[in-house]
Amino acid sequence: MLKLLATATLVVLTSMTTSIAAQEAHNAKITVVFDKPLPNVPGKSMRGVVVEYGPGGFNPAHTHAKSAFIYATVLEGEIKSKVNGGSTEVFKAGDNWVERPGDHHLVSANASETKSAKLLAVFVVDTIERELTAPDP
């Protein structure tokens, strides 16, 4: 009985660890490069975020701030992205897209296992909003 309990505990702990590990970024660096209030739109700011992915890098599934409208453009390499119920798309250097407030970003990753990739995401967001993304639970 004790052996069965120990095995069950190990299985539960392993699955919890896998769940937690799946929620962490891998080979990814996120840097806020500017944060400026919009003088003609009180209460709103524009924030620029550079996301750099090493080979095979990714960010976990997440939801964007409810106030955030996002314009993203690929600066280098290729980025794999899936938002809400849409299909997974691959964007190349120079490609861009928009995301709406509250969008659920299911896939955000480097499309390559051998080359780096980089994107610039420009957020128009409520100035008081400090968290731009929230990882899935």
Side-chain angles (χ1 to χ4, degrees), residues 105-123:
H105 210 148
L106 298 165
V107 175
S108 182
N110 186 342
S112 173
E113 294 292 327
T114 59
K115 298 177 183 173
S116 296
K118 185 187 305 187
L119 69 89
L120 171 66
V122 177
F123 289 69

Side-chain angles (χ1 to χ4, degrees), residues 34-94:
F34 64 85
D35 183 355
K36 301 289 181 191
L38 296 173
N40 61 335
V41 188
K44 293 286 186 181
S45 289
M46 186 179 299
R47 294 195 188 116
V49 177
V50 171
V51 181
E52 299 173 83
Y53 291 117
F58 65 88
N59 280 311
H62 56 274
T63 303
H64 293 291
K66 291 185 191 263
S67 69
F69 179 82
I70 304 157
Y71 169 82
T73 188
V74 179
L75 302 174
E76 297 174 11
E78 297 182 357
I79 302 291
K80 190 169 28 173
S81 181
K82 179 176 180 172
V83 178
N84 299 324
S87 60
T88 301
E89 297 184 55
V90 175
F91 297 93
K92 299 178 180 187

Side-chain angles (χ1 to χ4, degrees), residues 5-57:
L5 182 58
T7 301
T9 302
L10 182 60
V11 168
V12 169
L13 288 174
T14 301
S15 66
M16 285 174 54
T17 303
T18 303
S19 259
I20 291 167
Q23 296 175 19
E24 295 177 9
H26 170 73
N27 204 8
K29 178 182 175 189
I30 301 168
T31 307
V32 176
V33 292
F34 64 85
D35 183 355
K36 301 289 181 191
L38 296 173
N40 61 335
V41 188
K44 293 286 186 181
S45 289
M46 186 179 299
R47 294 195 188 116
V49 177
V50 171
V51 181
E52 299 173 83
Y53 291 117

